[in-house]
Amino acid sequence: MIESFDIVVVGAGHAGCEAALSAGRLGLTTALFTISRERVAAMSCNPAIGGLGKSQIVREIDALGGQMGIAADAATIHFRRLNSSKGPAVRARRVQCDLNLYHQVMLEAIESCPNLSLIEGMVESLLINDFRACGVIDDQGRKYSAKSVVVTTGTFLRGLIHLGLDSYAGGRLGDPPAVGLSKSLESVGLELGRLKTGTPARLEAASIDYDELEKQEADLQHLPFSHTGGQKSSKICCFMTRTNQRTHEIIVKALSRSPLFSGVIKGRGPRYCPSIEDKVVRFPDRNSHQVILEPMDQNDRLVYPNGISTSLPKDVQEQMIHSIAGLQNARIVDYGYAIEYDYVKPTQLRPSLEVHSVPGLFLAGQINGTSGYEEAAGQGLLAGINAVRGIRGQEPVVLGRQEAYIGVMIDDLVTRGVSEPYRMFSSRAEFRLMLREDNSAFRLADWASEIGLVEDVVLQERRQTDLQVAELLDELGRIMAPKDDKGRRPFLLNLLKRPEQTIDKLVEYLENDYSQDVLEQVEVRVKYKGYIERQIAEANRLSQMATRKIPAEIDYHIIPSLSAELVEKLSEIQPETFAQAARIDGMTPAALMILSVWITKQSKVPRGTRSAPN
C-alpha cells in the first residue's frame, strides 16, 4: 500500500522544518522524514542563531510566518547585539541557544502542526513519473506518493566523516549517510559537486579554568528575533582565550596526519570559517588566534570552543586544546571532525527553488551549497511555500534582491552558483540599508499577506507598528527641544539629524512610549534619508528589469553574436528575467542588448516558424 501526501519533505533539519511547517500550515497534507525525532532541528555545529548578515534572514523568516525566530527566542541563553555602534545596515542580533530546548520547541511545533506527519525513516530514492517528482521510496522499499517533493538533506548525501586519517561514512556524528538519494538525483540528470565543512571538539564546562579567561557578558537589553516580542533571560556568559605558539607548533608537527593537508579531503571548505590547522598554515606570522568558549545548554554543561574547528587526530586535538590558556585540564566530550558531502549545483534551480528539469522537485539548505542554519531555514521556508503554490497553480513567491536577504541569497545561488559553501554577509546585499533588521516586517508585509502564514490579527498589529512610526515622525516634527546655550529651540526632528544626536536622548521629550524597533526605524529614516532615497531609486530600476520576462523555451545556441561562454551559462541557468540575466558572471550590456533584440523579434514571428535570422 502506498501512502499519499500532497508534499513530502526529506530531512528535518532547519530547512526541512520550515518547509514542512509552511506546507502543513497552508493546508496541504505533508510528510516530514527524519532519521529520528530526536534529531529534529538538531544544532550539529554551534548552537547559535543570527550574526552579521544572518539575523536579517531570521527576522525575515519570522516576518513571513516561519518558526526559527520563535524557537531561537525561546531557547536563548546568551544575547549580544553586534555592530551596535556602526551604521544600521550592519547591525545584527546573535544568540547562543540551549540546543536541547531549541530542538524541543521546534519538535512541539511540528507535532502540533495540522496536516503534518513526522515519519522516522531514511529516504532512499525519488519517485519520478514522466520527468516529474511524484514521491519517494524509503530504505525499506515503502513508497510514499506526493504532488511535490522538497529535499533538504544537509550534509547527509554520501557524507564522509574525517577524523585524522580515519574516514567513515556518516551524515554527521552518530548518523548514517544518504547514499541512494545521491544516485537518484544523478539519475534524473542533476550535476552534483562535493563540499566540506567541519566542527571543533565539545568540552565539558566544569573542566575549564575560567579564572584565566576574559569574560564576555550578555547584553542587558535582549532584542528578540520574533516580531511577537518573545524574550528569554540570557545570563550565561561566554569566555575568550587564544591559541599560542605552543598550540601552533603542535598543529604544524601533525600536518602529515591531517586529512586536509594530506590530500584525503577533496571537497572545498568555507574560506570564511577555516579550520585551526588551515589558519595556522595560511597565517604563519600570527602568534595566536582567538577562541570564544560558548555555552551549548542552559545548565552550562557543554562548551563550544568557537575558532578551533579541526579534523586532526584525537591525540593531537587533546594536545592542542590542553595547550590553550584555561583549557589545560579540559575534558573532551566529542572530538572535532570534518565532513565531505554531495551538493546539487544550484544553477540548476529556478528562483522558486524548483529544479528546472524535474517539475515538482524542490531543494533547500546545504544541498544547494549553503552553510548555516539561517541560510537553510530561509530556503526551506520559500521551498515549502512554493511547493504549495505550485500544486495550487499559483505563481511562486520570488523575493527580489531589493526586498529581502533571502532574495539576495537565492538569487546568488541560482544565478551565480557556488564554488565553496555559501554564507550570507551584509556585503552581498547591494540594498542593505533598506534590508535592515528593524524594518523586516514592514518591507515584507505585502508578501506576508499574500502567502497567508501570518494571521490577520498579527498583520493588523504589525500595521499598528507602521502607524506608530508615522506618529513618532509627526511628534519629532512638531515638538521643540528645550532652549540650547544660544537660546534656540530646534524641533526634535532637526535635532535628530545631527550626527552626535540619538533617538534615545530625545525619548524624554516625547508624548508617547514607543518600542525599540519603532525608535530605531525612525532614527534610521531621519539620519539616512538621502541614502535611502537613492537606494529606493536604484531598487525601482532593478524592479523594472525584473518585470521583463525571458521566455522559458528560448534556445540560446541559435542566437547570433553571443559568446560560447554566455550561451553555456544562459542555457544552464535559464534566467527568468532580464534582471537575473544581468547578474550572470560575464554578462555584458552588449550581450543583454543582443538578447533583448532577439526576444523582441521572435515575439513578432508566428510560433512554429521561429529560427535564427540571416
Side-chain angles (χ1 to χ4, degrees):
M1 180 179 177
I2 299 178
E3 287 194 63
S4 297
F5 297 90
D6 291 318
I7 294 174
V8 166
V9 179
V10 182
H14 303 280
C17 287
E18 296 292 350
L21 284 168
S22 62
R25 288 168 175 171
L26 288 173
L28 270 65
T29 57
T30 305
L32 174 60
F33 277 84
T34 179
I35 290 176
S36 166
R37 66 188 300 277
E38 300 307 318
R39 292 296 204 175
V40 168
M43 301 181 112
S44 306
C45 201
N46 190 359
I49 298 291
L52 304 179
K54 292 171 170 276
S55 65
Q56 290 90 339
I57 292 178
V58 184
R59 294 276 282 172
E60 290 167 1
I61 290 169
D62 188 78
L64 295 172
Q67 190 70 20
M68 174 170 268
I70 295 171
D73 287 341
T76 293
I77 56 177
H78 181 96
F79 170 84
R80 289 191 70 210
R81 186 82 190 275
L82 307 180
N83 287 340
S84 57
S85 62
K86 295 185 178 180
V90 295
R91 293 172 194 159
R93 301 160 207 222
R94 184 180 186 276
V95 301
Q96 284 296 120
C97 292
D98 180 312
L99 76 167
N100 297 312
L101 184 54
Y102 187 94
H103 153 76
Q104 290 168 12
V105 172
M106 196 65 79
L107 180 61
E108 288 172 6
I110 286 168
E111 292 187 329
S112 63
C113 180
N115 311 303
L116 177 55
S117 300
L118 184 64
I119 300 176
E120 291 184 311
M122 174 75 80
V123 170
E124 185 72 12
S125 62
L126 300 171
L127 280 172
I128 303 293
N129 183 20
D130 196 22
F131 299 102
R132 181 178 181 87
C134 60
V136 299
I137 305 173
D138 70 11
D139 58 356
Q140 302 302 312
R142 291 183 290 256
K143 295 182 178 180
Y144 301 83
S145 69
K147 299 170 185 175
S148 284
V149 177
V150 183
V151 179
T152 68
T153 45
T155 60
F156 278 71
L157 291 181
R158 281 194 286 234
L160 186 63
I161 292 174
H162 299 276
L163 183 50
L165 298 182
D166 295 327
S167 301
Y168 57 93
R172 61 182 162 221
L173 194 64
D175 290 330
V179 177
L181 196 51
S182 276
K183 295 177 181 178
S184 184
L185 291 167
E186 288 175 324
S187 72
V188 296
L190 290 176
E191 183 180 0
L192 275 57
R194 199 82 170 147
L195 291 175
K196 166 255 176 187
T197 189
T199 185
R202 271 53 162 187
L203 308 178
E204 184 182 298
S207 67
I208 296 172
D209 184 356
Y210 292 102
D211 292 337
E212 293 191 43
L213 307 178
E214 179 185 347
K215 183 182 290 188
Q216 186 184 76
E217 300 276 5
D219 289 354
L220 292 176
Q221 183 184 31
H222 176 191
L223 300 176
F225 283 114
S226 176
H227 296 83
T228 57
Q231 296 190 25
K232 186 174 179 65
S233 173
S234 51
K235 298 177 181 178
I236 298 180
C237 294
C238 295
F239 291 85
M240 288 181 286
T241 184
R242 301 190 72 87
T243 62
N244 53 59
Q245 197 60 42
R246 173 62 183 148
T247 313
H248 298 183
E249 290 171 359
I250 292 169
I251 292 169
V252 170
K253 187 177 179 180
L255 287 179
S256 62
R257 301 172 63 196
S258 164
L260 186 63
F261 288 93
S262 61
V264 174
I265 292 177
K266 306 297 183 184
R268 186 166 180 179
R271 256 181 312 147
Y272 48 81
C273 189
S275 66
I276 185 60
E277 52 264 41
D278 199 17
K279 286 191 280 190
V280 168
V281 171
R282 285 167 55 187
F283 308 106
D285 296 332
R286 289 194 186 177
N287 294 321
S288 67
H289 294 278
Q290 181 175 261
V291 182
I292 304 178
L293 303 176
E294 300 178 315
M296 299 183 70
D297 60 281
Q298 59 189 338
N299 296 317
D300 204 14
R301 291 173 298 192
L302 287 176
V303 165
Y304 183 95
N306 196 347
I308 53 171
S309 291
T310 185
S311 55
L312 288 165
K314 293 180 180 180
D315 61 304
V316 180
Q317 290 191 41
E318 290 177 358
Q319 294 176 49
M320 173 185 73
I321 288 170
H322 292 158
S323 72
I324 299 172
L327 305 183
Q328 295 91 333
N329 300 305
R331 285 188 289 274
I332 297 175
V333 178
D334 288 308
Y335 289 90
Y337 63 92
I339 182 167
E340 285 185 284
Y341 56 94
D342 289 345
Y343 78 102
V344 173
K345 296 188 176 181
T347 50
Q348 300 167 98
L349 307 179
R350 301 181 186 278
S352 63
L353 296 179
E354 186 177 25
V355 175
H356 275 294
S357 58
V358 188
L361 177 60
F362 294 79
L363 309 181
Q366 283 178 285
I367 191 174
N368 291 337
T370 60
S371 173
Y373 307 144
E374 303 85 355
E375 290 88 340
Q379 293 172 68
L381 178 66
L382 267 293
I385 290 168
N386 286 329
V388 171
R389 294 176 72 86
I391 291 170
R392 290 176 171 168
Q394 299 171 310
E395 287 293 313
V397 173
V398 177
L399 301 176
R401 297 181 70 90
Q402 74 280 17
E403 292 179 300
Y405 268 79
I406 296 174
V408 173
M409 170 180 61
I410 293 176
D411 182 67
D412 282 348
L413 293 174
V414 304
T415 303
R416 296 170 178 161
V418 299
S419 58
E420 63 181 349
Y422 178 100
R423 177 179 179 177
M424 178 52 70
F425 297 105
S426 55
S427 59
R428 295 189 189 273
E430 57 270 47
F431 302 111
R432 54 187 169 273
L433 188 54
M434 293 167 55
L435 308 182
R436 308 183 308 275
E437 285 186 319
D438 60 271
N439 70 350
S440 50
F442 170 77
R443 56 185 159 84
L444 293 174
D446 289 344
W447 276 120
S449 179
E450 161 75 17
I451 293 168
L453 283 172
V454 181
E455 295 180 358
D456 289 341
V457 63
V458 176
L459 290 175
Q460 285 286 57
E461 291 172 358
R462 292 181 184 176
R463 293 187 183 101
Q464 288 300 314
T465 299
D466 300 338
L467 293 175
Q468 288 176 355
V469 168
E471 185 180 293
L472 176 51
L473 286 167
D474 177 70
E475 283 192 37
L476 293 171
R478 60 180 171 77
I479 297 176
M480 289 185 172
K483 289 182 180 180
D484 59 20
D485 296 340
K486 298 181 180 180
R488 296 174 301 191
R489 294 191 63 196
F491 287 103
L492 295 181
L493 187 66
N494 294 327
L495 200 60
L496 185 57
K497 293 177 182 178
R498 299 176 183 176
E500 73 281 1
Q501 190 60 258
T502 65
I503 190 73
D504 293 331
K505 296 177 182 177
L506 305 179
V507 168
E508 62 179 302
Y509 306 119
L510 299 175
E511 298 170 353
N512 299 294
D513 294 329
Y514 298 96
S515 69
Q516 188 62 35
D517 274 349
V518 171
L519 293 173
E520 189 170 326
Q521 277 196 59
V522 168
E523 181 171 9
V524 172
R525 289 192 190 191
V526 172
K527 287 186 176 294
Y528 296 87
K529 184 173 183 290
Y531 297 102
I532 291 174
E533 287 176 348
R534 281 198 291 274
Q535 282 203 357
I536 290 173
E538 292 172 9
N540 287 338
R541 285 194 290 272
L542 178 63
S543 295
Q544 290 172 4
M545 286 188 71
T547 59
R548 188 171 183 199
K549 303 292 185 181
I550 296 176
E553 72 277 6
I554 191 168
D555 182 357
Y556 294 100
H557 294 86
I558 64 175
I559 300 178
S561 302
L562 283 180
S563 69
E565 179 187 6
L566 279 179
V567 167
E568 182 181 350
K569 288 182 177 179
L570 286 164
S571 299
E572 176 189 7
I573 295 167
Q574 297 183 44
E576 298 188 359
T577 68
F578 272 82
Q580 187 185 357
R583 290 189 291 275
I584 294 174
D585 287 341
M587 181 59 70
T588 64
L592 280 176
M593 182 59 69
I594 291 169
L595 183 59
S596 176
V597 170
W598 168 261
I599 291 174
T600 300
K601 285 184 177 179
Q602 290 297 295
S603 67
K604 298 176 182 178
V605 177
R607 187 176 294 274
T609 63
R610 297 176 184 176
S611 61
N614 296 324

